[in-house]
Amino acid sequence: MDFKPLIENISKHVILNPEEISVFKRFWKVRTFKKGDYLLRNGDVCRYDNYVLSGALKAFYINAASGDEEIVYFAIDDWWATDIDSFSKQKPSIYSIQAIEDSTVLQISYSSFQNMLVEIPKLERYFRIILESYLGTLQQRIVYNNVFTAEHRYYDFLETYPKIASRVPQYLIASYLGVSAEFISRIRKKNKSS
């Protein structure tokens, strides 16, 4: 089981000693998902926190009015893919998480997560930092959606998330940005002709 990427991610914020790393590893399991497999379905309780070792995932919900799939976020290597509200409160999720590439994740169950934090209290700091980063990203997205043009949001997405932009189909990026796939095609054609 390859814990190196997750341990390196954690060590940016908290240093675990060899004994703590050994304890830490006991709580996690590796799972693989084929493209199209679901890690979580709308209405189910999010029972696992997922750290992506490889692959790409999308979190989305279906707009009841339009029937359209609306992307909440993407997760690729060295990212987290979880419904935080559902996981932390153990209540039904309002969205789904699905593999858009064959993916491998490290998973920890809710009860194991709680036990891990008791046994390695310094990890509370790490997960607080991760949550603060996620919250900051959500706040920025709200502002961008309310203030900036769709074209500005698209260019910002390409600049901020180049790895995601290179791996995720354009129609999914369009859904994430709240625009049509045709709109993105027009922007791309305009850039090629400039």
Side-chain angles (χ1 to χ4, degrees):
M1 198 177 319
D2 187 12
F3 281 92
K4 187 178 177 190
L6 180 52
I7 299 296
E8 286 177 356
N9 187 298
I10 290 169
S11 69
K12 293 174 190 171
H13 309 287
V14 174
I15 302 302
L16 300 177
N17 65 41
E19 183 182 329
E20 289 168 331
I21 290 172
S22 179
V23 170
F24 174 82
K25 290 178 176 180
R26 288 196 331 247
F27 293 105
W28 298 82
K29 294 179 182 169
V30 173
R31 294 237 7 237
T32 56
F33 295 90
K34 293 288 186 196
K35 179 179 178 178
D37 286 351
Y38 283 83
L39 282 74
L40 175 66
R41 287 186 187 265
N42 172 22
D44 291 346
V45 173
C46 183
R47 306 217 179 272
Y48 300 96
D49 199 356
N50 303 284
Y51 173 81
V52 183
L53 290 170
S54 65
L57 309 161
K58 64 179 179 180
F60 67 95
Y61 68 95
I62 303 299
N63 183 315
S66 67
D68 293 336
E69 177 180 288
E70 299 194 7
I71 303 294
V72 178
Y73 65 79
F74 299 107
I76 59 172
D77 317 16
D78 198 32
W79 288 48
W80 293 90
T82 306
D83 178 337
I84 295 169
D85 192 44
S86 175
F87 182 73
S88 65
K89 296 175 183 167
Q90 288 295 282
K91 67 177 193 176
S93 177
I94 60 170
Y95 59 81
S96 299
I97 302 174
Q98 185 180 31
I100 52 178
E101 293 176 0
D102 290 350
S103 301
T104 303
V105 303
L106 283 171
Q107 283 191 332
I108 187 167
S109 71
Y110 177 78
S111 60
S112 290
F113 184 80
Q114 299 306 318
N115 290 334
M116 178 185 69
L117 294 181
V118 169
E119 290 200 40
I120 312 171
K122 66 173 80 167
L123 285 175
E124 290 266 3
R125 179 175 189 273
Y126 169 73
F127 285 101
R128 176 184 53 78
I129 291 167
I130 294 298
L131 285 173
E132 287 171 352
S133 175
Y134 179 68
L135 179 59
T137 301
L138 283 179
Q139 288 176 327
Q140 182 177 348
R141 185 172 177 198
I142 291 166
V143 170
Y144 274 43
N145 285 346
N146 290 329
V147 174
F148 294 108
T149 66
E151 190 167 351
H152 181 101
R153 294 195 315 268
Y154 175 67
Y155 289 127
D156 182 70
F157 181 87
L158 295 180
E159 187 177 316
T160 306
Y161 305 110
K163 290 180 182 174
I164 293 175
S166 69
R167 291 172 67 176
V168 171
Q170 291 296 308
Y171 76 93
L172 292 178
I173 294 171
S175 172
Y176 175 82
L177 296 172
V179 300
S180 68
E182 293 76 21
F183 177 82
I184 290 184
S185 291
R186 283 195 303 274
I187 293 174
R188 296 177 81 196
K189 282 179 190 168
K190 186 171 85 173
N191 285 342
K192 286 180 184 174
S193 63
S194 313

